């Protein structure tokens, strides 16, 4: 309903309001399109809206081209996407290293899996090197022929493959900015940013990347979120570094073979471990720069494994947002302030929190200070103690909300709502009376014996005590919403 108009100027609101009258005509149109394996030309001509990413605004390379395609075309694409996803999922075709654009996968599952590997290595005193790669215009450079070849290799054939082939033919696009239109340009490669099918087609295209990297050494760890790819390995000597370098070389060769390219200047290496020898790594002769703190999927990861750097940065940004809210608002009643805080400030303080939940009191207080300052904007509560303000507004402390978030995430892992095998993260105490060995809801979690705080307070160990203390009826909730409600009721007792 809120999707942007395509070149055909058919408004989503019209489709929504007239859905009953339009359902049969669109059904006939979609069926005819699929049976003939062709698309209307209107569906293949798209307007481009340049969306600013970062860097100087006067540089065209710092804008992401988003295709504003026909809304009816996107409706058909969404139907096809669901069928393709069902095929990929039921046949277990997408590798477990991929966390982007998939149900049950997210930035949080990617970061938890990645940092689980890192903190384990740190805790046993090992060194670990990770290269965070950056593809040049990844979604725009995907060659149509190579993508269709991989689509067919994933078992997608027949009329659907014929339709996808036509989907790539004779595509045109033009930039529209402030009502001014550029001339039309042919689209020779891409998965069409802004399309519904594009993300899934990209996952298929990049799916074999793991095989190429691991051909150098099966111990290389690969983690992907769409095109954001991390490759790493435990380093004990120079030979391990050479194996990781060979993995990088294989990645570069894969890019050359499939019409893609890495951006050496934007790739970085992180050396984890206090005794890390800090070997150099190269992409096509270009030395990869080393960083101690790297922003990864919105979270600042430090090579010590501690979350303090992330907390410093998000707290500073949150205080900046609060200052903007304070300057731009005159009416600061309870409803206005809490709505603005919940919409713009609190999400910044809680994004992917299970991956970085702090344990140092200084870091915890630094985040709590943001919420304290937010609630002081409310005039009639300015002199009321913090705890009383929370009660008045029916809010929780951020520390308590992060504990709740940990338990919700744990519930998702243990009950299949996150598409990740929980045994790769947790250790269990098996209940001999449990009817099914595949159900973990009745089983207590076991924390590891650790030597470093970075591992001791990591999600997989941090959550065990709170999870084990929950009543069985809360742990055995039938859905995520049911778990939230039962947990909240349990806290009120």
């Amino acid at each position: 309903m809120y999707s942007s108009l395509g070149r055909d100027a058919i408004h989503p609101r019209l489709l929504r309001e007239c859905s009953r009258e339009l359902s049969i005509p669109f059904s006939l149109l979609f069926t005819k399109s699929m049976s003939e394996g062709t698309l209307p030309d209107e569906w293949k001509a798209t307007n481009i809206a340049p969306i600013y990413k970062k860097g100087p605004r006067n540089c065209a390379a710092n804008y992401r081209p988003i295709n504003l395609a026909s809304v009816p075309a996107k409706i058909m694409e969404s139907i096809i996407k669901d069928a393709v996803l069902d095929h990929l999922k039921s046949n277990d075709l997408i590798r477990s290293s991929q966390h982007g654009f998939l149900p049950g996968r997210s930035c949080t599952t990617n970061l938890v899996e990645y940092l689980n590997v890192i903190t384990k290595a740190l805790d046993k005193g090992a060194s670990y090197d990770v290269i965070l790669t950056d593809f040049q215009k990844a979604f725009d450079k995907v060659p149509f022929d190579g993508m269709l070849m991989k689509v067919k290799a994933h078992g997608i054939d027949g009329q659907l493959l014929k339709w996808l082939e036509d989907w790539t033919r004779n595509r045109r696009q033009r930039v529209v900015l402030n009502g001014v239109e550029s001339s039309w340009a042919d689209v020779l490669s891409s998965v069409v940013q802004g399309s519904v099918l594009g993300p899934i087609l990209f996952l298929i295209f990049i799916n074999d990347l793991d095989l190429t990297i691991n051909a150098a050494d099966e111990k290389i760890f690969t983690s992907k979120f769409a095109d954001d790819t991390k490759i790493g390995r435990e380093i004990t000597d120079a030979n391990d570094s050479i194996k990781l370098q060979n993995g990088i070389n294989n990645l570069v060769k894969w890019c050359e073979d499939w019409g893609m390219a890495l951006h050496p200047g934007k790739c970085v290496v992180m050396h984890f471990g206090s005794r890390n020898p800090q070997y150099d790594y190269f992409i096509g002769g270009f030395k990869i720069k080393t960083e101690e703190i790297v922003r990864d999927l919105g979270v600042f990861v430090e090579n010590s494994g501690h979350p303090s750097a992330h907390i410093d940065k998000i707290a500073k940004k949150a205080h900046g947002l609060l200052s903007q809210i304070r300057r731009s608002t005159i009416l600061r009643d309870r409803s206005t302030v809490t709505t603005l805080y919940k919409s713009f400030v609190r999400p910044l303080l809680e994004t992917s929190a299970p991956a970085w939940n702090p344990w140092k009191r200084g870091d915890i207080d630094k985040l709590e200070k943001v919420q304290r300052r937010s609630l002081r904007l409310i005039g009639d509560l300015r002199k009321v103690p913090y705890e009383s303000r929370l009660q008045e507004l029916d809010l929780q402390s951020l520390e308590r909300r992060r504990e709740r978030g940990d338990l919700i995430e744990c519930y998702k892992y243990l009950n299949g709502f996150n598409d990740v095998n929980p045994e790769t993260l947790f250790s269990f105490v098996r209940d001999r009376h449990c009817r099914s060995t595949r159900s973990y809801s009745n089983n207590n979690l076991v924390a590891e014996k650790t030597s470093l705080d970075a591992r001791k307070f990591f999600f997989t160990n941090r959550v065990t005590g709170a999870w084990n203390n929950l009543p069985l009826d809360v742990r055995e909730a039938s859905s995520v919403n049911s778990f939230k409600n039962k947990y909240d009721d349990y806290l009120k007792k």
Side-chain angles (χ1 to χ4, degrees), residues 202-486:
F202 185 81
L203 297 191
I204 292 174
F205 180 76
I206 205 172
N207 196 34
D208 64 338
L209 194 60
D210 306 51
L211 290 175
T212 303
I213 294 171
N214 289 125
D217 179 21
E218 61 181 14
K219 291 185 178 180
I220 294 178
F221 170 77
T222 306
S223 178
K224 298 181 298 212
F225 189 92
D227 62 317
D228 290 330
T229 303
K230 298 182 282 283
I231 62 174
R233 195 192 192 285
E234 187 175 314
I235 305 296
T236 56
D237 53 35
N239 287 330
D240 293 336
S241 174
I242 292 172
K243 292 175 182 177
L244 183 55
Q245 178 63 61
N246 290 337
I248 299 170
N249 296 340
N250 286 357
L251 173 57
V252 173
K253 181 66 166 56
W254 181 92
C255 291
E256 293 172 352
D257 292 342
W258 292 101
M260 304 291 284
L262 292 174
H263 198 305
K266 293 185 179 180
C267 296
V268 299
V269 58
M270 293 190 74
H271 300 292
F272 292 91
S274 58
R275 299 180 181 177
N276 195 302
Q278 301 197 8
Y279 294 109
D280 293 331
Y281 298 94
F282 299 85
I283 292 178
F286 185 95
K287 181 181 174 182
I288 306 174
K289 63 182 177 182
T290 300
E291 298 284 358
E292 294 184 356
I293 301 172
V294 174
R295 188 172 186 264
D296 182 15
L297 301 179
V299 173
F300 292 91
V301 178
E302 193 173 359
N303 61 2
S304 65
H306 290 207
S308 298
H310 177 70
I311 283 141
D312 288 341
K313 291 180 181 295
I314 62 172
K316 182 179 179 180
K317 187 172 182 179
H319 281 297
L321 281 173
L322 283 177
S323 297
Q324 292 180 31
I325 291 172
R326 190 168 183 267
R327 289 194 300 268
S328 59
T329 57
I330 298 174
L331 181 64
R332 297 180 193 152
D333 61 285
R334 298 185 183 194
S335 176
T336 301
V337 172
T338 54
T339 299
L340 290 172
Y341 169 67
K342 289 179 180 179
S343 300
F344 298 105
V345 181
R346 194 168 70 180
L348 178 65
L349 303 175
E350 295 183 338
T351 300
S352 300
W356 55 263
N357 197 342
W359 60 87
K360 293 180 180 178
R361 178 45 56 184
D363 290 336
I364 295 170
D365 291 342
K366 195 173 293 183
L367 293 175
E368 210 67 49
K369 186 178 180 180
V370 177
Q371 183 162 271
R372 286 175 181 268
R373 182 188 170 197
S374 301
L375 303 187
R376 280 202 301 270
L377 293 176
I378 303 172
D380 62 332
L381 295 179
R382 192 166 298 160
K383 296 183 180 180
V384 177
Y386 178 57
E387 291 72 18
S388 300
R389 269 178 273 162
L390 293 177
Q391 291 179 358
E392 286 279 342
L393 300 171
D394 194 25
L395 295 175
Q396 295 177 322
S397 68
L398 293 178
E399 183 178 10
R400 192 171 179 181
R401 280 182 57 82
R402 287 194 300 274
E403 181 178 346
R404 181 178 183 268
D406 278 350
L407 290 169
I408 292 171
E409 198 68 19
C410 184
Y411 173 84
K412 289 179 181 179
Y413 278 113
L414 301 184
N415 291 275
F417 293 97
N418 281 345
D419 188 20
V420 177
N421 182 0
E423 292 191 347
T424 62
L425 297 173
F426 302 102
S427 299
F428 300 92
V429 173
R430 300 294 186 183
D431 184 352
R432 69 180 64 180
H433 301 296
C434 182
R435 295 181 180 178
S436 171
T437 57
R438 295 177 62 83
S439 173
Y440 304 116
S441 60
N442 293 329
N443 297 337
N444 286 337
L445 303 178
V446 180
E448 303 170 13
K449 293 182 179 180
T450 60
S451 56
L452 296 181
D453 286 347
R455 184 62 185 171
K456 178 181 178 181
F457 294 103
F458 183 64
F459 170 72
T460 54
N461 291 314
R462 180 180 70 237
V463 77
T464 55
W467 176 262
N468 293 342
N469 289 333
L470 288 179
L472 279 180
D473 69 299
V474 178
R475 284 194 257 173
E476 294 175 346
S478 58
S479 67
V480 176
N481 283 334
S482 175
F483 176 82
K484 292 177 182 178
N485 293 332
K486 288 186 174 184

Side-chain angles (χ1 to χ4, degrees), residues 136-156:
Q136 292 182 11
K137 299 181 179 179
F139 280 64
D140 298 325
K141 283 196 170 185
V142 174
F144 286 143
D145 290 342
M147 179 187 71
L148 292 171
M149 185 188 305
K150 293 191 178 186
V151 165
K152 186 174 182 179
H154 282 71
I156 299 171

Side-chain angles (χ1 to χ4, degrees), residues 11-24:
H11 200 287
R13 182 66 179 269
L14 173 67
L15 302 178
R16 175 88 175 199
E17 297 296 333
C18 303
S19 58
R20 181 176 298 179
E21 292 78 8
L22 293 174
S23 59
I24 293 178

